Amino acid sequence: MLRKIQETASWLLSHTTERPTIAIILGTGLGQVAKDIEVTASFEYSSIPHFPVSTVEGHTGRLLFGRLGATPVLAMQGRFHYYEGYDMPTVTFPLRVMHEVGIRTLFVSNAAGGMNPAFSVGDIMLIRDHINFFPEHPLRGRNLPFGPRFPDMSEAYDRQLLARAHAIARSHGIQVQEGVYVGVSGPTYETPAEYRMYRILGGDAVGMSTVPEVIVARHQGMRVFGVSIITDMGVEGSIVEVSHEEVQQAANAAQPKLATIIRGLVAGLA
Ligand code: HPA
């Protein structure tokens, strides 16, 4: 694993002169945030040595190097989900490579079902914390020498970035929510009883990604900012049939607001 990570990182570093310290994982329907990036190098996942290949509709599968405003960034257009059948080391392989190419701050976005009754479809939820409900832990196995055996998770999501995101949203008149993201394997959406359970356990939104990536990012000491687009509601009385298309549509509609927040955060880190 270590050798593969290093080979992939060296390959990337020899194929671009960009040296970003910020990476953005563009989740479902948020691929268009990539349009804000002035791309200087673009790599199809299939062309990168050892990189897994994305299989989900709506996930293009490209690693982009470029500038967001004046700031160098690396963006993953399309991610790897556990439900696709990848094991955790594969799901989180790109995060390991990111660390090796010099990434120290991670921005991550996803689509999620809202369980907090104050939320509505189309809302943006800044992630304050998460609950890991995946059946396999991404750090299970031999500890890779990028971080401690027993990583601290007392502040998985950086409080300073969270506060700045609130300030940016306020100054642009963008309404945001804040809450706890529950990460599950999927690929089924939840039954009403499951939504209720995750709500009782302390979740505000539930989705099928992000948690493994954030855990691996934190293992490596990266600062993390995460955001969910609420694409459907898992609150008793407002639960309706969910389709992947509707999830993507709702995520698309929230894109401009999310792009504003991410641009602001990145500019603040420059
Ligand atoms: N549950 C799980 N994952 C999701 C949902 C949901 O309701 N909406 C978007 N991704």
Side-chain angles (χ1 to χ4, degrees):
M1 182 55 72
L2 200 53
R3 186 186 51 83
K4 283 188 182 173
I5 292 163
Q6 283 158 353
E7 281 174 8
T8 307
S10 317
W11 187 91
L12 285 169
L13 292 175
S14 68
H15 282 74
T16 172
T17 54
E18 297 283 358
R19 294 294 179 261
T21 61
I22 300 169
I24 308 171
I25 300 177
L26 304 161
T28 301
L30 304 172
Q32 280 183 36
V33 174
K35 293 212 170 109
D36 281 3
I37 300 170
E38 198 189 308
V39 177
T40 56
S42 165
F43 306 101
E44 300 274 338
Y45 291 160
S46 56
S47 76
I48 306 171
H50 309 308
F51 227 72
V53 176
S54 181
T55 64
V56 192
E57 200 187 320
H59 292 257
T60 321
R62 253 189 303 250
L63 204 57
L64 310 173
F65 285 81
R67 307 276 159 137
L68 189 55
T71 314
V73 293
L74 169 61
M76 271 186 82
Q77 205 172 18
R79 60 146 64 93
F80 305 104
H81 299 86
Y82 188 70
Y83 63 73
E84 293 176 79
Y86 303 111
D87 59 12
M88 281 297 183
T90 308
V91 168
T92 57
F93 182 79
L95 277 294
R96 296 304 190 187
V97 173
M98 282 178 192
H99 180 263
E100 285 300 277
V101 302
I103 299 302
R104 296 297 175 257
T105 305
L106 177 71
F107 293 99
V108 55
S109 63
N110 59 58
M115 299 182 295
N116 183 324
F119 292 2
S120 318
V121 169
D123 276 359
I124 291 175
M125 183 189 87
L126 310 184
I127 304 178
R128 178 175 65 241
D129 204 349
H130 76 217
I131 299 175
N132 179 16
F133 251 102
F134 283 85
E136 183 189 342
H137 198 283
L139 300 180
R140 180 172 179 268
R142 189 169 65 88
N143 188 43
L144 290 174
F146 300 110
R149 171 72 288 189
F150 302 107
D152 174 70
M153 290 294 277
S154 63
E155 191 183 327
Y157 299 82
D158 190 89
R159 288 194 195 118
Q160 199 185 359
L161 290 175
L162 185 61
R164 274 195 223 153
H166 275 294
I168 293 162
R170 212 176 306 121
S171 72
H172 285 86
I174 298 169
Q175 212 197 312
V176 292
Q177 309 279 7
E178 186 186 303
V180 172
Y181 177 87
V182 180
V184 298
S185 77
T188 50
Y189 294 110
E190 286 63 39
T191 64
E194 287 165 345
Y195 282 125
R196 184 151 34 86
M197 174 185 73
Y198 292 131
R199 176 68 186 153
I200 290 168
L201 292 178
D204 295 291
V206 55
M208 306 174 197
S209 66
T210 303
V211 166
E213 294 140 328
V214 170
I215 289 172
V216 169
R218 292 300 301 145
H219 177 242
Q220 305 172 138
M222 291 177 180
R223 297 174 78 187
V224 175
F225 171 77
V227 60
S228 296
I229 306 294
I230 305 302
T231 57
D232 53 276
M233 286 302 292
V235 171
E236 225 163 341
S238 30
I239 299 172
V240 292
E241 201 178 309
V242 194
S243 74
H244 184 55
E245 291 66 38
E246 285 166 320
V247 164
Q248 285 192 306
Q249 267 174 25
N252 281 336
Q255 276 192 70
K257 290 189 279 184
L258 182 55
T260 300
I261 295 171
I262 290 187
R263 267 198 312 267
L265 283 174
V266 167
L269 286 171

